[in-house]
Amino acid sequence: MGFRRLIAPLASIVGLSLIVIVVFLGIYAWPAVKFNGWHFLIRNNWNLGNLYGNPIMRHGQQVMPGAAYGILFLIVGTLLSTLIAVLIAVPFGVGAAMFLAEGIPPVLRPWLSFFVELLAAIPSVVFGLWGYVLLIPFLSHHVFPFMAKRFGFIPFFKGSTGSGYGLLTCGLVLSLMIVPLIAATVRDALVSRPIGQREAALALGATRFETLWAVELPGVRRVIIASTILATGRALGETMAVLMVSGNALNYLPNNIYTPISTMASFIVSQLDSALEDPTGMAVRSLAEVALVLCAISIVVNGIARLLLYFSGQERMEAGAWM
Amino acid sequence: MDVMAVDVRAAIVNPTLGRSLRRRIFNGLGWMLSALTFLLLGAAMLSILILVFVRGAHALNLKVFTHITEGTSGGLLNAIEGTLIISLGGILLAIPPGLAAGIYLAEFNDGFLAPVLRFLSDVLVGVPSIVIGYFVYVTLVVDLGWQFSVAAASIALAIMSLPYICRTSEVALRQVPITLREAGHALGVTTGTVTMRICLPMALPGILTGVLLALSIAVGETAPLIYTAGWSSYLWTGHLTHEPVGYLTYVIWAFITEPFEGAHALAYAAAFLVTFFVLLIGVAARMVLYRNAGAQRHS
């Protein structure tokens, strides 16, 4: 009993740090929450106001004249880029996992699986570098004009393709970052399925692919769902790669898939310097409110995924520590 | 499951010509598509690795390791030093609470604290790193007046690393057979001694893997450092607070958008170093695990 009492406080630091993050961000952002109200989430005007004027009192808070903070464009940008990323990443992740688990010669399997797991460790700023140096010129010169011309009949595919910085580029880079996570997790789940079901299906005359598709894949349905949700959380909070390829639009709703956007996470990095110009501090507090909203979204997303896993009886997956 | 089994059987026991053709197409197409997804993923990843390693290798020279940054040229000695200091600092800060939480979750799973702690830790993994960075910025950098500093940056990285260390050490401790604990208790050894002297040494390779993994995440992080570490072109003078510090990932992000060849070369060199280090740690962590698995199989 003594030992347990001894390490419990130390262990609690892990849980407390999450609570402390939420509470302190909340306290810091509270004046902004009161000043902005619900308009924060549904308006599209991030405006620091006249920074050379004298501060005025509004809603009981001291702000610069004309200041208003609405982040609808951030919420839209974050959700759309994540949606694109997940729509691309799930089929690719599951397909790659199937190929890794059954498709390649057994000799190569550990090596290629190892390769995919290592890819999950590549830092996001390196993905950003790749997107900035190689992907954006390639997309803006070759792919986007072609897509706008040939696939213009699909909604949001038509129109100006811009400079290559934007929603679709963002989605592509994000999907590349989360595909290894989904692929590694689903592969591990596929490999650890009981062999009996597979043998039964094979004995009935099913081919290896039919077994994989109709027997194994439905068996790991929950893992696919949970890893998708967790990967969604990753994409929602991704900062550096998005910062380098999104175009960092301000107060701007996308009108096609090539439009520059900002996400909540990248906006915090790109705007803190200018927010510090606001002598009342309301801009910095509003950025804290952005961080708070982002934190809340990621807590909800991750919480749902965790509860899904706990209650599905799937003890925590041991597929890499990112889970 | 039932529906699936019937589907498969129906396809197998009635092998009409059309059906067998459809099966063939379905099988061929299925393998083709799954191979295609893997090949595309592999191609994109190889493109990233080639970009980083080829251009990075061209940019690497002795000066990178021996000189500090001057504006956007010079070397990366300050950034290499800074990255090592804040990453190691973060890991050292994260090990005691992370390991304690792992021990608690593995050994004392009966009370109300363990499930709560596990849930909070699992959710903390998913909290975006920029949120953690901004939290450290408003609390330590601004409110406590530490300014951009090694201490603030290390604490930001420590908070990020906590759940990884917690998770991996819990998993590693759970793999220690329960019979060993029972044997210890039967000999009259207290729980604390059983954990520290029997379970912990056996779980050490797993724990070490987790620590290495957290280290590789810390080395590759950028977002939580931008407003906690700041940037400095000079070597660290030993102050924990009130002194900004350089780090490699900043160079990648900030120098690649500069219009100078020299700045780009430094960015590629930094990308080479960071990626190489992260992949190296990844390989080392796997080797620790495999070697341990091998040793257990032989004994």
Side-chain angles (χ1 to χ4, degrees), chain A residues 216-234:
Chain A
E216 308 250 328
L217 216 49
V220 298
R221 199 176 43 224
R222 283 207 186 92
V223 177
I224 295 175
I225 294 171
S227 67
T228 304
I229 301 177
L230 290 173
T232 307
R234 266 296 165 90

Side-chain angles (χ1 to χ4, degrees), chain A residues 130 207 210 284 310 316 323, chain B residues 23 27 47 122 167 170:
Chain A
W130 178 76
T207 62
E210 284 163 348
V284 182
Y310 294 160
R316 316 158 94 201
M323 301 287 293
Chain B
R23 269 185 80 189
N27 278 292
S47 152
D122 282 351
R167 152 63 62 89
E170 183 200 348

Side-chain angles (χ1 to χ4, degrees), chain B residues 76-135:
Chain B
L76 292 173
L77 182 61
N78 51 324
I80 296 171
E81 185 202 34
T83 288
L84 288 179
I85 291 168
I86 51 186
S87 312
L88 289 176
I91 293 298
L92 289 180
L93 285 174
I95 285 177
L99 187 56
I103 293 174
Y104 196 92
L105 292 184
E107 307 292 327
F108 308 112
N109 203 11
D110 47 351
F112 84 101
L113 182 60
V116 173
L117 202 57
R118 183 174 296 129
F119 184 73
L120 290 177
S121 160
D122 282 351
V123 172
L124 185 60
V125 181
V127 171
S129 57
I130 182 65
V131 171
I132 293 172
Y134 204 74
F135 158 75

Side-chain angles (χ1 to χ4, degrees), chain B residues 63-64 66-79 231-235 251 255 258 260 262-264 266:
Chain B
K63 200 179 170 198
V64 167
T66 53
H67 284 63
I68 58 171
T69 315
E70 294 142 15
T72 56
S73 58
L76 292 173
L77 182 61
N78 51 324
W231 165 255
S232 160
S233 296
Y234 300 102
L235 292 177
V251 176
F255 284 19
E258 297 284 340
F260 310 112
H264 293 182
L266 279 188

Side-chain angles (χ1 to χ4, degrees), chain A residues 287-306:
Chain A
L287 275 186
E289 195 179 352
V290 177
L292 197 65
V293 172
L294 181 59
C295 191
I297 293 176
S298 67
I299 287 176
V300 169
V301 169
N302 282 281
I304 290 173
R306 292 301 167 187

